[in-house]
Amino acid sequence: KILYISIIQCNIMLSYENKIILAPMVRVGTLPMRLLALRYGADIVYTEELIDWKFLRSRRRYNDILNTVDYVDQTDGTIIFRTCNEEKDKVVLQLGTSDTARALKVAKFVQNDVAGIDINMGCPKEFSIKGGMGVALLMQTEKATSILKTLVANVTIPVTCKIRIFETAEQTLKVVNSLVSSGIKAIAIHGRTKDERPQHTVHTDIIKYVAERISIPVIANGGSKEIENHNDINKFKQLTGCSSVMIARAAEWNCSIFRKEGLLPIDDVIKDYLRLAVEYDNSQSNTKYCVQNILRDLQETPRGKQFLESQTLDQIW
Ligand code: FNR
């Protein structure tokens, strides 16, 4: 019986090879967008970064009206994380942390509801840096490795991290080798340094250098400027020598980038998105934010302006 159970567990353990992945994106990667990405063809979806201490303030609750699992902030009743069965085997929770004990507590708290745990080691924003999280954690490689090691040893689901590159390929590889020694199952590499911004060219050569030299899957990230259709994803794979690609902005703008059959017009994407937002009772402010990010310049058109004036999910719809 034990053998049987462990075979089943092995079968459903998430694999990071040959995958097209929705990147973690604050405010964008909430449940409706993740489900939309999966329905369009993404293989794995990351949550937005969730901060450990905020998560630890929450209580887990099964929502039998929506059939979702909700982690509800006990101080103000907001939903920190909502998930459902449809994404259970494909959703990776990204954690913002700088502390082993807190990270482990969260990981154990959620491990039965998600398919993997990822530690954010790439965020260059002031909020993260001040808290010793994101790229600040990456700079403390020993501590970062130790957090990963503790998680790997104590949780039942795969552990990964998402990093930025360093100035040189050799420096990047040195840090990656340390992180990999923790036993993580994959590593997502955003091909920009901590000081580079989205408009800077992505260093596919450094991602490739690392991917050729380590034994776990490297998930290539940072290519959205050049990813305008599904074929471009394959080009990015070739340039980076990786079998898996993680997409952020291209999916934020038009989530149907995951469709093998080709992009849909944004009107269709907005409709598909709104259906899911209504079905899963997504907050009005988050729904509006995501639609605004799809509309971009079109917000200046009369229709766009009308949309901006909407206050409720009903009016948005
Ligand atoms: C991000 N990014 C990001 N990264 C991360 O590790 N955790 C996060 O929560 C976020 N949040 C976030 C929000 C938004 C709106 C954007 C546009 C980006 C960075 C993102 O995952 C990715 O690394 C970069 O955008 C580069 O990939 P693309 O955009 O070239 O595919």
Side-chain angles (χ1 to χ4, degrees):
K1 193 173 174 188
I2 289 170
L3 181 67
Y4 180 61
I5 291 171
S6 56
I7 287 171
I8 292 182
Q9 280 178 343
C10 282
N11 278 346
I12 57 171
M13 188 69 93
L14 194 61
S15 144
Y16 293 87
E17 303 264 14
N18 248 314
K19 298 288 187 288
I20 301 182
I21 301 172
L22 175 71
M25 280 184 279
V26 168
R27 293 192 75 191
V28 175
T30 48
L31 181 60
M33 193 62 85
R34 298 196 305 267
L35 291 179
L36 190 61
L38 286 176
R39 290 184 189 183
Y40 284 153
D43 300 302
I44 298 175
V45 289
Y46 277 51
T47 67
E48 60 179 333
E49 178 193 43
L50 297 158
I51 307 297
D52 57 7
W53 56 266
K54 280 195 193 165
F55 213 95
L56 292 173
R57 273 195 329 214
S58 73
R59 176 176 298 185
R60 181 185 185 279
R61 194 183 66 177
Y62 185 73
N63 182 329
D64 51 13
I65 299 171
L66 300 174
N67 279 324
T68 55
V69 172
D70 296 346
Y71 287 79
V72 185
D73 190 323
Q74 295 187 77
T75 60
D76 61 9
T78 53
I79 292 155
I80 289 181
F81 174 51
R82 169 167 284 166
T83 184
C84 66
N85 219 21
E86 184 176 340
E87 67 169 2
K88 191 166 189 273
D89 300 333
K90 291 164 186 162
V91 64
V92 172
L93 184 131
Q94 194 194 54
L95 203 56
T97 192
S98 62
D99 181 85
T100 308
R102 282 200 304 268
L104 182 58
K105 259 191 186 166
V106 177
K108 287 193 150 187
F109 190 25
V110 296
Q111 65 182 347
N112 293 326
D113 291 323
V114 296
I117 290 275
D118 181 79
I119 303 295
N120 183 347
M121 297 186 188
C123 183
K125 299 256 163 73
E126 200 190 336
F127 169 81
S128 287
I129 306 276
K130 270 190 183 162
M133 300 181 289
V135 92
L137 181 60
L138 182 64
M139 297 300 141
Q140 297 174 266
T141 311
E142 257 181 52
K143 183 179 183 186
T145 306
S146 152
I147 292 178
L148 293 172
K149 214 179 218 168
T150 303
L151 294 184
V152 169
N154 291 288
V155 302
T156 53
I157 52 177
V159 178
T160 57
C161 64
K162 175 167 177 278
I163 67 163
R164 282 179 175 247
I165 56 164
F166 286 75
E167 299 294 332
T168 67
E170 292 78 13
Q171 255 179 304
T172 311
L173 180 63
K174 197 168 163 221
V175 172
V176 168
N177 273 330
S178 169
L179 299 172
V180 170
S181 74
S182 66
I184 51 172
K185 287 281 183 289
I187 184 163
I189 305 185
H190 177 185
R192 293 188 179 84
T193 67
K194 66 179 172 37
D195 300 317
E196 287 178 325
R197 291 295 158 259
Q199 64 274 18
H200 290 113
T201 309
V202 57
H203 302 275
T204 49
D205 53 333
I206 297 191
I207 301 179
K208 188 165 193 214
Y209 180 88
V210 174
E212 281 169 351
R213 287 166 178 78
I214 65 169
S215 55
I216 59 168
V218 170
I219 304 165
N221 171 243
S224 273
K225 265 197 334 177
E226 288 80 33
I227 296 179
E228 286 177 358
N229 57 53
H230 206 269
N231 265 347
D232 294 338
I233 299 177
N234 290 330
K235 281 190 209 153
F236 193 60
K237 277 189 194 176
Q238 274 160 18
L239 281 172
T240 55
C242 295
S243 72
S244 293
V245 170
M246 173 181 266
I247 303 173
R249 287 163 299 161
E252 173 190 21
W253 301 327
N254 187 334
C255 191
S256 69
I257 191 73
F258 293 109
R259 271 169 49 95
K260 286 196 182 73
E261 307 81 359
L263 278 180
L264 293 173
I266 62 162
D267 267 15
D268 293 358
V269 176
I270 290 173
K271 273 188 207 145
D272 290 345
Y273 173 76
L274 286 176
R275 264 186 221 110
L276 285 164
V278 170
E279 184 179 343
Y280 285 99
D281 199 26
N282 200 46
S283 79
Q284 177 271 349
S285 59
N286 184 251
T287 304
K288 192 167 173 178
Y289 177 78
C290 290
V291 176
Q292 277 176 275
N293 288 346
I294 303 175
L295 284 172
R296 295 200 287 165
D297 294 348
L298 294 175
Q299 289 180 74
E300 300 305 322
T301 64
R303 242 179 96 214
K305 284 187 178 144
Q306 197 187 351
F307 169 79
L308 288 182
E309 281 163 18
S310 61
Q311 302 280 340
T312 63
L313 270 188
D314 254 4
Q315 286 169 359
I316 293 174
W317 183 248

